[in-house]
Amino acid sequence: SKRSRRNLTPLPRSFPWRFRQDLRRKGCGVVRIPSAAVEPLQRIAQEYLTREFPQFSPKTAKPKLRGQGRKSVESIEAQGSTATESTESTGSFFRADGLNAAFPSSMSWHWASDAATLEVFAKAGQHVLRFLGDDFALVAASLVVASGDCMDDLSKFHLDFGPPKIPRGVAATALMPLWPDRFPSEGHLEIRPWDANEMVTYHYQAGRAVVFDGKLAHRTQPFRIQSFAGTSLRVLASMSF
């Protein structure tokens, strides 16, 4: 039924304990990310993607995001470099294509490659960490960019942290849509919640990050890139904890 399927799909929680309950039971949960944390990330991503992908055409209108800004977390430190206002507008990324057979060749990962860029992701990541708890930390972040079709036979269910020695509850991934502002009816996230015997589709929404355990099976919902004609790309922010 529609009601039972709603119960299977993770919803944003107002209290960390409710989120952690979802994470333990379902293997996933949802966190609201305020616009004050998303917009700096969109700015550096837009500047980088317009250089890397000439076809990229982001809309100028800003998405309406829910939630209010909270106090900043401490900057993420890296070797000899820290984030500053002057470096926020120019992100540094390392591109990696074809990470594994669970994704089509048209999907690429663009990893934050210095402390200043990672700090911009951290502005969103702090809100995820408030719900995950003190046992987690942001360790890596990337832009996940699809520039072509993702057909059914090329999108496979997989685990982000598959090795058996990594147990449940110690690693997580957060995915948050950046472009387009509003996703079409395809290209979302298909998951297999631990408390269900069926696949569930989580629908990406601006200002929300879906957070899932490293042992949760998931895949990209198949899509045709023409459905993303407004931007010519499908872009997510990915954060590893």
Side-chain angles (χ1 to χ4, degrees):
S1 68
K2 184 179 294 186
R3 182 177 179 181
S4 63
R5 290 194 66 80
R6 181 178 174 82
N7 291 337
L8 295 176
T9 305
L11 299 171
R13 300 299 188 183
S14 299
F15 301 102
W17 70 269
R18 290 292 304 276
F19 167 85
R20 293 168 196 161
Q21 189 177 67
D22 286 343
L23 199 61
R24 287 194 302 270
R25 293 179 178 177
K26 299 178 179 296
C28 57
V30 180
V31 175
R32 294 183 179 92
I33 310 295
S35 59
V38 179
E39 289 169 1
L41 180 54
Q42 286 180 315
R43 285 196 295 271
I44 66 164
Q46 180 172 337
E47 181 172 335
Y48 169 74
L49 293 173
T50 50
R51 297 195 308 265
E52 192 76 11
F53 298 90
Q55 74 272 30
F56 183 49
S57 55
K59 295 180 179 179
T60 55
K62 296 179 181 178
K64 294 181 180 179
L65 307 181
R66 300 179 180 180
Q68 301 296 326
R70 301 179 188 276
K71 61 181 180 179
S72 299
V73 292
E74 294 180 357
S75 299
I76 291 179
E77 296 183 356
Q79 297 177 349
S81 178
T82 57
T84 65
E85 288 297 323
S86 61
T87 58
E88 183 182 274
S89 62
T90 56
S92 178
F93 295 90
F94 176 81
R95 178 170 180 166
D97 295 90
L99 288 183
N100 62 52
F103 306 95
S105 59
S106 59
M107 196 170 293
S108 55
W109 281 254
H110 304 256
W111 296 92
S113 59
D114 64 12
T117 305
L118 190 59
E119 172 64 15
V120 182
F121 281 89
K123 292 178 181 179
Q126 66 170 313
H127 299 279
V128 178
L129 286 170
R130 190 174 71 86
F131 281 73
L132 279 173
D134 295 336
D135 292 337
F136 290 84
L138 178 64
V139 296
S142 66
L143 302 174
V144 185
V145 181
S147 57
D149 296 342
C150 178
M151 307 309 293
D152 186 67
D153 60 334
L154 297 177
S155 182
K156 298 177 174 59
F157 278 95
H158 62 282
L159 308 178
D160 278 3
F161 295 88
K165 290 185 177 181
I166 301 178
R168 289 183 178 183
V170 300
T173 299
L175 295 177
M176 180 178 67
L178 294 182
W179 285 284
D181 294 349
R182 185 171 297 179
F183 266 50
S185 60
E186 54 189 301
H188 295 272
L189 181 70
E190 294 181 346
I191 58 177
R192 290 176 175 163
W194 295 336
D195 61 350
N197 294 318
E198 59 183 292
M199 184 271 292
V200 172
T201 300
Y202 168 79
H203 291 85
Y204 290 118
Q205 293 187 51
R208 293 183 181 183
V210 58
V211 186
F212 49 91
D213 191 278
K215 294 297 186 182
L216 182 75
H218 63 284
R219 74 165 188 167
T220 301
Q221 182 189 33
F223 65 88
R224 291 187 179 276
I225 197 63
Q226 65 187 27
S227 298
F228 294 82
T231 56
S232 300
L233 296 177
R234 170 187 178 273
V235 185
L236 305 177
S238 175
M239 293 171 280
S240 301
F241 300 90

